[in-house]
């Protein structure tokens, strides 16, 4: 059995594991949105979040994406700090959630934003097939990593809190 300060049995341990995973999943989504925004929208200038209008609308859509990403990051870190303060953070599940968040954002962006809604493409003026494959496979690798970390945490019974 865990030390007295780490006694989390039954439903309470599952709830803490789930909360750690969700909180860090939010952080993962926000971090990947930031990477996308900074690298592909700003540094490389390949696209805006919404490319089906004027450049001004595209820039505004990038600003709205950046605002949402920052709000998610701030909220995620406040919730993470609360998990740490209350000593209920389950680190193995937190890492799983972080990688799931990274991958879910990327796969959602690649399939829903790029292909279904056609808000933007990764690049314009080139054959986008290799870019699409790289983007979506990269996202799937992150999702699988998160799933494997979550399964490993579950099998090892790591629902205890971090000190």
């Amino acid at each position: 059995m865990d030390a007295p300060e780490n006694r989390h049995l039954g439903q309470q341990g599952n709830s803490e594991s789930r909360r750690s995973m969700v909180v860090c999943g939010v952080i993962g989504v926000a971090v990947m949105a930031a990477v996308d925004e900074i690298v592909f929208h700003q540094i490389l200038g390949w696209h805006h979040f919404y490319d089906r209008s004027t450049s001004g609308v595209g820039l505004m859509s990038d600003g709205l994406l950046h605002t949402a990403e920052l709000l998610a990051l701030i909220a995620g870190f406040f919730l993470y700090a609360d998990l740490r303060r209350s000593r209920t953070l389950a680190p193995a599940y937190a890492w799983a959630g972080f990688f799931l968040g990274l991958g879910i954002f990327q796969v959602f962006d690649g399939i829903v934003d790029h292909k279904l809604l056609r808000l933007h493409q990764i690049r314009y003026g080139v054959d986008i097939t290799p870019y699409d494959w790289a983007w979506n496979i990269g996202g799937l690798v992150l999702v699988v990593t998160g799933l494997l970390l979550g399964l490993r945490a579950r099998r090892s019974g790591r629902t205890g809190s971090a000190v």
Side-chain angles (χ1 to χ4, degrees), residues 6 14 41 48 93 137 145 158:
N6 291 338
N14 288 337
H41 297 218
H48 297 293
Y93 285 95
I137 289 171
T145 300
R158 293 184 190 172

Side-chain angles (χ1 to χ4, degrees), residues 25 27-29 31-32 97-107 139 142:
I27 293 170
V29 166
V31 166
M32 187 54 78
F98 179 72
F99 278 95
L100 282 169
L102 293 172
I104 287 169
F105 174 87
Q106 195 161 333
V107 170
L142 292 166

Side-chain angles (χ1 to χ4, degrees), residues 46-143:
W46 285 358
H47 62 263
H48 297 293
F49 179 70
Y50 184 72
D51 272 339
R52 298 178 73 182
S53 187
T54 65
S55 293
V57 170
L59 285 173
M60 183 185 69
S61 71
D62 286 347
L64 293 173
L65 173 64
H66 190 60
T67 301
E69 144 222 323
L70 282 175
L71 291 173
L73 198 57
I74 290 166
F77 275 112
F78 269 99
L79 293 169
Y80 179 83
D82 185 57
L83 287 170
R84 294 288 307 227
R85 181 197 53 75
S86 64
R87 299 178 150 251
T88 56
L89 177 67
Y93 285 95
W95 280 109
F98 179 72
F99 278 95
L100 282 169
L102 293 172
I104 287 169
F105 174 87
Q106 195 161 333
V107 170
F108 181 89
D109 187 45
I111 294 172
V112 176
D113 294 341
H114 297 178
K115 298 302 168 199
L116 296 177
L117 298 177
R118 296 196 173 276
L119 297 177
H120 62 264
Q121 294 300 320
I122 296 174
R123 277 191 86 175
Y124 293 97
V126 298
D127 178 13
I128 61 171
T129 304
Y131 293 95
D132 285 338
W133 279 102
W135 187 262
N136 290 318
I137 289 171
L140 287 173
V141 166
L142 292 166
V143 168

Side-chain angles (χ1 to χ4, degrees), residues 7-18:
R7 242 183 272 148
H8 303 290
L9 303 172
Q11 188 62 28
Q12 184 180 2
N14 288 337
S15 174
E16 290 163 357
S17 301
R18 191 173 19 256

